[in-house]
Amino acid sequence: MEIFKYSFMVRAFAAGIASALVTSSIGVFVVLRRMSMVGDSLSHASLAGVAAGMLFGFYPFYGAVAFSVLAALLVEFVRATFKRYAEIALAVVMSASMGAAVVMISLGRSFNADIFSYLFGSLMAVAEEDIKLIIILGAFVLVALYILRRQLFSIAFDEETARVSGIPVNKVNVLFSILTALTLAISVRIVGTLLVTALLVIPAAVSLQLARSFNSAILISNVVAVFSVVTGLCISFYFDLAPGGTIVLIASAVLFVVLIGKRRVGKGGI
Amino acid sequence: MDTPVVELKDVSFSYGGPKVLEKVNIKVEKGDFFALIGPNGAAKTTLMKIMLGLVVPDEGEVKLFGKNVKSFRQWHKIAYVPQHGGQINLSFPATVREVVASGLFGKNRPLKGKSLEEAVKKALATVGIEHLAARLIGELSGGQRQKVLLARCLVGNPEVVFLDEPTSGVDAESQQEFYDLLDRLNKERGLTVVMITHDIGTACGIANKIGCVKGGKVDIHENTKDITEDHIAEIMGYSIKKQRTK
């Protein structure tokens, strides 16, 4: 196929599929824990990291990873301070991250074109170095999720009972936030910081509509995400469109088809 | 004499204002069926959460199996069903089998593979819902969901179960089945039960010890026959006809 003759497309597919598997796996837990807004806060932090990298001369992708992990820890810290208003933590971190990103972008006026590729994702921009980092961090997140799957299931199902069963809920929550931050950071290269939350949430939303068990929910979410990424990358290649937007539109279309299909067979919504 | 399963000594608690619990002393012994009754807002749920270490009291000491709850680590001896079944998310994509198995996902519960499957089957059989194993939790009726949560509670063979209004929102027939099952587990297996309930008639029928919570105090009745219609009316603010099934 013509599309695979270009090395940048092969890299885009590798990075895209790896990102899809990781985001869609952790996404099921994120959605079940009603933490979808966390994705927005952390992805804005990753944009600040990208801007910091460009401004201070280190690799922007490393900045995205470091800033989103720091933001995850900050969310947990603020959440612990405002226990009864946990959403304040997300708003504070998102606003502060966006403020930092805007200030750094305005300081480095010359990198507007580069920052655009991180905002909306890019096919051309995935470098060999990115692939290595995406695969290493992606594998780390998947292994950590596998090890923590039982604890995460219990906490997502009923946090109080999980505490009484001896699960160290606070520690697992901090670890989960860090894993979510890493997931978002490795996905910004393909999907972009503004749209990465969609890849976290939409495949999981589809899986909640169709799954007949928890394991099947993860599998369905994986399939929808990989399908959306592969189809989205092909369409964006042939029609010269931004990959992030195309991927998210495909995933959204899958969700609407499933919702309409379910309504037609009279099973209702989530 | 065995170490008490639960022991509260001079426990007081407030949510920042007046004390909702004041100098509460409770001792639940092994094999007890301890029912906590009281009007809405009497801090029954807070009291149960204090027993479990989920809420830290302002004063006093809480012990589980003789150990201070802060340093207690033998959580496999304990199981808990929160109020309204923990506000279960009905769109949670988990089968009954998966939910029951999650009762073994805590610390000190290393069951895996076949032994986990066996334990789940046994718990499902105990509460009589083997036929629901492959169903999604969100597809079940309120009564069936409560049985699933009880099966999850029992799957790790706990020594004590804490149940916070386990039959709220459940039809009368399912309620009776649920209480009969608890009564059987208490009498046949020696399972210690600590239960919050508004169903005073049943509480008096199956519990051997009742704690009446009102005005921050807990009035303990070791002999449920001591509890009169007038006493219940005074505690709850309304009169009921007791149904002694014992």
Side-chain angles (χ1 to χ4, degrees), chain B residues 9-224:
Chain B
K9 279 185 191 163
D10 294 327
V11 165
S12 299
F13 180 78
S14 78
Y15 281 104
K19 285 181 177 168
V20 293
L21 294 169
E22 196 168 3
K23 300 272 178 203
V24 172
N25 288 286
I26 293 175
K27 209 181 264 189
V28 180
E29 307 287 350
K30 193 177 175 193
D32 272 350
F33 196 124
F34 179 57
L36 275 168
I37 61 170
N40 287 333
K44 302 184 294 295
T45 295
T46 303
L47 182 58
M48 183 170 275
K49 287 185 178 181
I50 286 174
M51 290 177 181
L52 291 164
L54 292 170
V55 170
V56 180
D58 301 331
E59 293 164 32
E61 191 179 19
V62 183
K63 284 184 178 177
L64 290 171
F65 293 94
K67 267 243 167 204
N68 190 303
V69 72
K70 286 179 199 163
S71 52
F72 183 75
R73 293 289 175 270
Q74 295 171 299
W75 293 108
H76 60 284
K77 290 184 173 179
I78 288 172
Y80 169 51
V81 177
Q83 202 172 17
H84 309 306
Q87 314 278 351
I88 288 179
N89 171 4
L90 293 181
S91 65
F92 201 96
T95 61
V96 167
R97 189 183 287 114
E98 287 171 325
V99 171
V100 173
S102 73
L104 291 162
F105 290 174
K107 270 192 175 174
N108 307 323
R109 286 169 175 157
L111 289 187
K112 282 178 187 168
K114 263 196 171 175
S115 44
L116 187 139
E117 275 298 313
E118 286 302 316
V120 171
K121 265 188 196 170
K122 199 174 147 195
L124 291 171
T126 303
V127 299
I129 53 167
E130 305 102 302
H131 60 292
L132 300 176
R135 295 271 299 276
L136 285 175
I137 186 82
E139 294 175 349
L140 307 181
S141 69
Q144 288 171 326
R145 275 201 300 276
Q146 285 307 116
K147 283 185 179 173
V148 173
L149 295 181
L150 187 63
R152 181 179 61 151
C153 214
L154 299 173
V155 70
N157 283 322
E159 292 181 30
V160 54
V161 293
F162 290 82
L163 310 167
D164 189 350
E165 294 188 39
T167 57
S168 64
V170 174
D171 64 77
E173 195 183 334
S174 300
Q175 277 188 23
Q176 195 51 52
E177 268 182 44
F178 191 84
Y179 287 129
D180 289 346
L181 178 64
L182 280 180
D183 195 26
R184 184 161 54 84
L185 290 168
N186 174 249
K187 290 197 172 74
E188 291 173 9
R189 285 200 197 173
L191 179 73
T192 308
V193 180
V194 179
M195 181 175 77
I196 294 173
T197 182
H198 281 290
D199 190 348
I200 302 161
T202 306
C204 292
I206 58 176
N208 68 315
K209 199 182 271 183
I210 289 189
C212 303
V213 189
K214 195 177 183 185
K217 303 283 184 192
V218 182
D219 206 3
I220 305 287
H221 296 265
E222 302 264 351
N223 186 346
T224 54

Side-chain angles (χ1 to χ4, degrees), chain A residues 227-252:
Chain A
F227 171 78
S228 306
V229 165
V230 170
T231 316
L233 287 177
C234 291
I235 292 173
S236 62
F237 172 78
Y238 287 112
F239 294 94
D240 194 20
L241 301 171
T246 317
I247 290 167
V248 171
L249 284 176
I250 300 278
S252 304

Side-chain angles (χ1 to χ4, degrees), chain A residues 77-87 170:
Chain A
F77 173 74
V78 180
R79 203 202 297 266
T81 312
F82 294 98
K83 273 182 184 160
R84 292 189 189 180
Y85 304 96
E87 72 281 4
N170 295 343

Side-chain angles (χ1 to χ4, degrees), chain A residues 132-199:
Chain A
K132 279 183 199 155
L133 194 62
I134 288 170
I135 289 175
I136 291 168
L137 289 180
F140 171 76
V141 172
L142 286 178
V143 169
L145 278 182
Y146 182 76
I147 293 168
L148 291 172
R149 69 194 188 286
R150 290 177 158 196
Q151 286 92 332
L152 289 172
F153 177 99
S154 294
I155 295 169
F157 187 72
D158 176 2
E159 190 166 313
E160 273 193 342
T161 309
R163 280 183 198 278
V164 174
S165 69
I167 291 172
V169 173
N170 295 343
K171 284 181 191 167
V172 175
N173 281 345
V174 172
L175 207 51
F176 183 71
S177 292
I178 292 171
L179 294 175
T180 309
L182 290 174
T183 302
L184 291 166
I186 63 176
S187 308
V188 297
R189 217 60 192 102
I190 289 289
V191 194
T193 54
L194 292 183
L195 295 166
V196 68
T197 306
L199 203 55

